[in-house]
Amino acid sequence: MMGYRRTSLMISDQKLAQLQVELQRMNVENQRLRDMLSQVTNNYNALQMHIVALMQQSRGTEANQEHEVVQGKPEEKKQEVVPRQFLDLGRSAEADEMSHSSSDERTRSATPQTNMETASVKNNGNQENSSFRDGKRVGREDSPDSESQGWNPSKVQKLNSPPSKGIDQSTEATMRKARVSVRARSEAPMITDGCQWRKYGQKMAKGNPCPRAYYRCTMAVGCPVRKQVQRCADDKTILITTYEGNHNHPLPPAAMAMASTTTAAASMLLSGSMSSADGLMNPNLLARAILPCSSSMATISASAPFPTVTLDLTHNPNTTQVQRPPTHFQVPFPGQPQNFAPATAPQFPQVFGQALYNQSKFSGLQLSQETVPSQLPQQLHPAQQPSLVDTVSAATAAITADPNFTAALAAAISSIIGGANGNNTTSTNAHNTSNRN
DNA sequence: CGTCTTTGACCTGCGC
DNA sequence: GCGCAGGTCAAAGACG
């Protein structure tokens, strides 16, 4: 008996030693992660500046083409709008974030430790959300479709409990259909959209050697939203995701960002404000309205049966010219309408302004990449904007979990801006933030 | 045991 | 009416 006790004690000591070793190892790992995060932060800042510079450049070159579009503002001013929106919002958002600990501390140079803590705390489920799938799952997915499921968020996202502050649009969940297609480089193995999906079928599609997978939203019982995921026949590293339907439940921040943006595109496309002919016949114009920073990133076509908004996010925004393809958004909108852009003013400049406003959320789609389009009007309401914490959380999760830094950066920026939009009144640039309708 | 994916079968719409 | 293609269902199996 005593021998047993002594043995037992010895085992405990061993365990203790093991735990200590483990703890040391974790500390080392923690430090390493901090360093990584610090580096990511630095890269983010640098890239942000770069993006701003490119945007200014882009606006400068494109101003000649789309001159009188923007409320008759001088081109100079117009060129300022986007970059400042980008910068200021980001800054204010960051400041807001910092204010959690110190309201006066508005410096951008947070220590890596600070950032690390923020990330770890805020990540929670989101981190898993955008992580790779567990080995076994992945191992099972060796069918052709497994490629497209590399970023299927279905299971992981169970961990991401949707925010309670969501939008109640259940009454709007009638069968208006909206389609959003997203193309994403598979380099980002797991791009999540904040929603939960369950695969219910797979089919080989004609003209494409890769099978098409069918998913159903499972975030709420009876949610009619479905999506299809298929690899691009031309470039199999590109995933094409098509969304259909409207969620009948509140959306997570990431999903909301995407929804609002795509809806914005749709509303512009289909609202009476701009004659459909104008919008559809001048795709690049709308595209620039949505993504002023890069006319090559978005195109709009009137190809039947639905008008389609394609966001070619496969283009690397960090370079002056398209380098690689990130993500495509095709937003065909079948029946559409009145629900889509109820609040949009009937004048193009305002639409354009809203586009600028929503532009900030567009990049968020690249990451969150999907979701339901038809929620813009509600989402534009300030009180219903995702909280800064949520959006930053989403961004942090994306950055920490997504190996594709470009995509992660896009998500981070959009999230920050989105959060800032939600807190516009406190930001320093209330003067140039968008015409919110 | 519950959840999720896989996959063949079935259903539906469309063109000929 | 027939065949094709796309979409959905549901049983079976895998996984935690």
Side-chain angles (χ1 to χ4, degrees):
Chain A
M1 195 61 179
M2 286 182 64
Y4 173 77
R5 276 177 176 271
R6 204 155 60 196
T7 302
S8 177
L9 183 61
M10 289 173 63
I11 292 176
S12 294
D13 289 338
Q14 286 179 346
K15 285 185 177 178
L16 183 61
Q18 286 180 354
L19 288 175
Q20 287 175 340
V21 171
E22 191 65 25
L23 184 61
Q24 282 184 342
R25 200 181 311 160
M26 292 178 68
N27 285 335
V28 172
E29 179 69 9
N30 187 29
Q31 184 57 46
R32 191 178 65 83
L33 291 173
R34 287 181 180 184
D35 292 340
M36 288 177 60
L37 185 63
S38 174
Q39 190 174 353
V40 167
T41 302
N42 291 336
N43 288 341
Y44 163 75
N45 289 333
L47 287 174
Q48 187 180 34
M49 298 305 294
H50 190 189
I51 288 173
V52 169
L54 290 178
M55 289 167 65
Q56 286 176 327
Q57 206 172 37
S58 176
R59 299 299 297 169
T61 57
E62 292 177 7
N64 294 335
Q65 302 170 4
E66 44 175 287
H67 29 287
E68 49 280 293
V69 174
V70 181
Q71 300 178 349
K73 290 181 180 178
E75 290 185 0
E76 266 184 50
K77 206 164 187 174
K78 184 171 60 176
Q79 292 176 22
E80 284 182 1
V81 172
V82 175
R84 286 177 62 179
Q85 181 182 16
F86 231 76
L87 271 182
D88 291 348
L89 289 176
R91 195 180 303 138
S92 64
E94 201 165 292
D96 286 345
E97 181 181 0
M98 306 280 283
S99 69
H100 285 292
S101 56
S102 171
S103 58
D104 292 333
E105 214 174 309
R106 300 206 164 227
T107 167
R108 293 171 58 93
S109 59
T111 65
Q113 285 78 4
T114 302
N115 286 341
M116 188 62 183
E117 288 176 0
T118 305
S120 61
V121 168
K122 292 178 179 177
N123 261 345
N124 289 339
N126 283 342
Q127 184 171 3
E128 302 220 19
N129 221 358
S130 48
S131 64
F132 298 89
R133 315 189 64 170
D134 60 55
K136 291 182 179 177
R137 278 292 180 203
V138 170
R140 281 179 58 189
E141 294 168 357
D142 50 358
S143 68
D145 177 59
S146 63
E147 301 171 287
S148 60
Q149 292 181 9
W151 53 292
N152 173 20
S154 54
K155 186 172 184 178
V156 241
Q157 279 172 344
K158 286 177 66 178
L159 301 172
N160 186 22
S161 57
S164 57
K165 64 170 69 76
I167 301 160
D168 181 15
Q169 60 146 30
S170 57
T171 57
E172 296 294 330
T174 51
M175 291 327 292
R176 275 174 295 123
K177 283 191 176 180
R179 288 180 166 223
V180 181
S181 293
V182 180
R183 285 185 174 187
R185 277 278 173 180
S186 59
E187 294 167 8
M190 174 66 79
I191 303 177
T192 63
D193 55 13
C195 288
Q196 249 177 273
W197 302 96
R198 178 191 180 93
K199 187 176 182 179
Y200 65 89
Q202 177 174 313
K203 192 83 174 181
M204 292 299 299
K206 189 181 180 183
N208 192 331
C210 302
R212 177 182 300 162
Y214 301 90
Y215 296 89
R216 186 174 290 151
C217 178
T218 59
M219 287 193 73
V221 178
C223 181
V225 175
R226 294 175 185 186
K227 79 171 180 180
Q228 302 172 6
V229 179
Q230 185 175 33
R231 289 206 169 266
C232 177
D234 297 333
D235 185 350
K236 294 182 179 178
T237 62
I238 296 176
L239 294 175
I240 303 174
T241 303
T242 302
Y243 299 89
E244 184 171 341
N246 296 320
H247 290 284
N248 61 356
H249 55 84
L251 292 176
M256 290 170 69
M258 183 158 189
S260 64
T261 309
T262 51
T263 304
S267 65
M268 284 193 299
L269 220 176
L270 298 159
S271 76
S273 60
M274 178 193 310
S275 71
S276 57
D278 290 343
L280 297 178
M281 294 178 65
N282 196 353
N284 289 335
L285 187 65
L286 266 181
R288 291 193 198 106
I290 297 168
L291 288 173
C293 57
S294 175
S295 61
S296 63
M297 291 177 71
T299 59
I300 298 175
S301 69
S303 57
F306 314 116
T308 299
V309 177
T310 299
L311 300 189
D312 190 352
L313 301 177
T314 60
H315 296 162
N316 189 344
N318 291 332
T319 57
T320 38
Q321 286 299 328
V322 185
Q323 286 189 339
R324 51 184 283 256
T327 315
H328 255 254
F329 290 89
Q330 292 180 337
V331 190
F333 295 90
Q336 196 316 329
Q338 57 275 36
N339 305 1
F340 258 121
T344 50
Q347 291 181 351
F348 180 69
Q350 293 184 0
V351 173
F352 189 90
Q354 180 172 345
L356 290 176
Y357 165 73
N358 287 293
Q359 157 226 346
S360 62
K361 298 190 174 186
F362 228 111
S363 52
L365 305 186
Q366 305 174 20
L367 256 211
S368 47
Q369 137 177 171
E370 65 201 68
T371 335
V372 197
S374 44
Q375 300 186 353
L376 174 63
Q378 294 90 338
Q379 289 177 345
L380 286 178
H381 194 287
Q384 291 174 326
Q385 291 286 337
S387 73
L388 178 62
V389 171
D390 288 335
T391 54
V392 170
S393 171
T396 305
I399 290 176
T400 55
D402 194 332
N404 186 333
F405 180 76
T406 301
L409 175 62
I413 294 173
S414 69
S415 296
I416 290 172
I417 292 175
N421 278 332
N423 298 288
N424 250 352
T425 53
T426 60
S427 70
T428 58
N429 63 335
H431 60 283
N432 66 5
T433 48
S434 71
N435 318 321
R436 188 178 303 170
N437 295 325

